[in-house]
Amino acid sequence: MHTKQVGKKLYMVELETGGFEQLICSYIITGEKPFLIESGPTSSVPKLLLGLKELKINFEDVRYVAVTHVHLDHGGGMGTLLNSLPNAKVIVHPRGAPHLVDPERLWPSSQSVLGFISDIFGKPEPVPKERLIPLTEGSFDIGDGAKLTVVETLGHASHNLSFYESFNCGIFPGDAAGTYLQRFKVIVPTTPPPFHLDAALASLDKLISLNPTVLYFSHFGKASDAVQRLKDYKVQLQLWADIAIDGVMKNQSLEQIRDRIIAEDKVMNRIIGFVRSHRIYSKTMLENCVLGFIEYAKTVNK
Ligand SMILES: [Zn+2]
């Protein structure tokens, strides 16, 4: 089984991207108007289609695929996915839309930021422009009187949307609320450059004001205590920022700033063994995400 029920009318699909478990997932809202959240990367589109088959959803019946943002791990597979979903339209932030239509520019920049990880995700195929619905707000009928509401949540990216669904009072934050490590039940910052702290904190306030019960992370899975987790994430982001700002002022290296973060953030301290041994997280969490704060700190210290 690739799918797992995680709420009323809601299923998670484990994409097992590159053979990694609990790395990336997509979500399927079932009912008369099936709705997907996140295409995931190109390489794992077959897994998502298998998930639809498992739930006995006809590909022709899928009306919408909502993508939180167009980074390869969330929206890279959209063009490939749409080849199999002839009637689906794509909900995307207007700043992300051009990258779906013409992924040629996104690919080399992803390769330079992600290195070998971009090859694990696979190269994106273009999405026909007429299949996109670019927006920053609005809501969609998901059946039985429930709605999926679009919330603009910038910070991680300049094109990150979150989605609130009223069946379960849950939020799909994309990367606006960090990475959830299910095995430890903790959140770790997802902050590659260019990261904008103020926008990220404002986005978290927006999500908190919706008073959600659960969070459905694309990395990875369902987490309860949504409001408390969002509040804790704000504190964690501020801690990393304070360390980075102080470190940049003292001309410390990425490694020195990273080691201070590991020492001072209780969450990082607890999970560092796992993160160091993980082929992907050791690069994304311990290099890219720290670098995001360092680049942010340089703009503050100017
Ligand atoms: Zn991501």
Side-chain angles (χ1 to χ4, degrees):
M1 291 289 278
H2 298 281
T3 58
K4 182 182 168 194
Q5 186 158 14
V6 289
K8 185 185 171 193
K9 296 202 172 204
L10 180 64
Y11 290 78
M12 181 185 91
V13 188
E14 159 64 276
L15 296 180
E16 283 176 46
T17 305
F20 289 91
E21 287 183 2
Q22 299 192 4
L23 184 69
I24 308 173
C25 59
S26 295
Y27 292 91
I28 302 173
I29 300 171
T30 60
E32 257 174 61
K33 300 170 183 169
F35 213 112
L36 305 191
I37 315 284
E38 312 281 52
S39 67
T42 306
S43 63
S44 41
V45 167
K47 284 271 159 58
L48 179 52
L49 295 173
L50 222 59
L52 285 169
K53 277 188 191 154
E54 231 172 65
L55 299 176
K56 303 198 168 25
I57 294 171
N58 292 325
F59 293 175
E60 294 76 22
D61 291 341
V62 177
R63 301 274 294 278
Y64 298 106
V65 186
V67 65
T68 60
H69 60 301
V70 301
H71 289 165
L72 292 185
D73 46 335
H74 300 257
M78 193 63 78
T80 309
L81 177 66
L82 290 191
N83 292 336
S84 299
L85 307 179
N87 301 314
K89 298 256 187 199
V90 177
I91 297 163
V92 61
H93 192 285
R95 275 195 287 269
H99 297 290
L100 290 184
V101 175
D102 178 14
E104 281 304 317
R105 273 192 313 145
L106 189 66
W107 178 241
S109 68
S110 301
Q111 280 184 306
S112 75
V113 174
L114 292 171
F116 72 94
I117 302 170
S118 57
D119 294 321
I120 292 175
F121 293 160
K123 194 175 176 188
E125 287 186 68
V127 176
K129 198 175 175 188
E130 60 276 12
R131 299 189 69 178
L132 298 181
I133 307 176
L135 41 74
T136 57
E137 55 182 32
S139 59
F140 292 80
D141 177 10
I142 47 175
D144 291 352
K147 279 189 163 58
L148 188 85
T149 305
V150 179
V151 189
E152 188 183 44
T153 45
L154 312 180
H156 166 80
S158 62
H159 49 84
N160 197 103
L161 297 175
S162 295
F163 304 102
Y164 175 85
E165 57 85 27
S166 61
F167 276 131
N168 306 286
C169 301
I171 284 176
F172 304 91
D175 284 346
T179 290
Y180 180 59
L181 293 181
Q182 215 168 36
R183 70 197 78 204
F184 299 99
K185 297 199 174 353
V186 298
I187 292 176
V188 180
T190 315
T191 53
F195 172 64
H196 299 283
L197 179 69
D198 297 339
L201 295 175
S203 296
L204 289 163
D205 283 334
K206 255 191 201 180
L207 297 181
I208 290 167
S209 74
L210 295 169
N211 201 20
T213 308
V214 282
L215 298 169
Y216 304 111
F217 288 91
S218 308
H219 319 288
F220 177 97
K222 173 186 170 179
S224 53
D225 301 325
V227 169
Q228 192 56 50
R229 286 188 190 281
L230 294 169
K231 286 181 180 170
D232 290 348
Y233 188 50
K234 281 182 69 183
V235 174
Q236 193 182 25
L237 288 181
Q238 195 63 63
L239 172 69
W240 284 43
D242 291 346
I243 296 170
I245 289 168
D246 184 66
V248 166
M249 227 150 48
K250 292 175 178 158
N251 276 323
Q252 290 180 330
S253 66
L254 183 141
E255 290 72 21
Q256 286 171 310
I257 292 172
R258 178 195 62 204
D259 290 348
R260 279 182 62 188
I261 288 172
I262 295 166
E264 291 180 39
D265 180 352
K266 281 195 208 98
V267 169
M268 288 306 286
N269 200 283
R270 202 175 125 213
I271 62 169
I272 188 62
F274 167 75
V275 173
R276 281 218 167 96
S277 68
H278 197 286
R279 221 174 126 224
I280 291 185
Y281 291 151
S282 56
K283 171 154 176 62
T284 55
M285 285 179 189
L286 299 180
E287 287 180 30
N288 299 3
C289 295
V290 176
L291 190 61
F293 275 97
I294 291 174
E295 306 232 319
Y296 160 76
K298 283 180 186 163
T299 66
V300 174
N301 287 349
K302 254 184 198 164

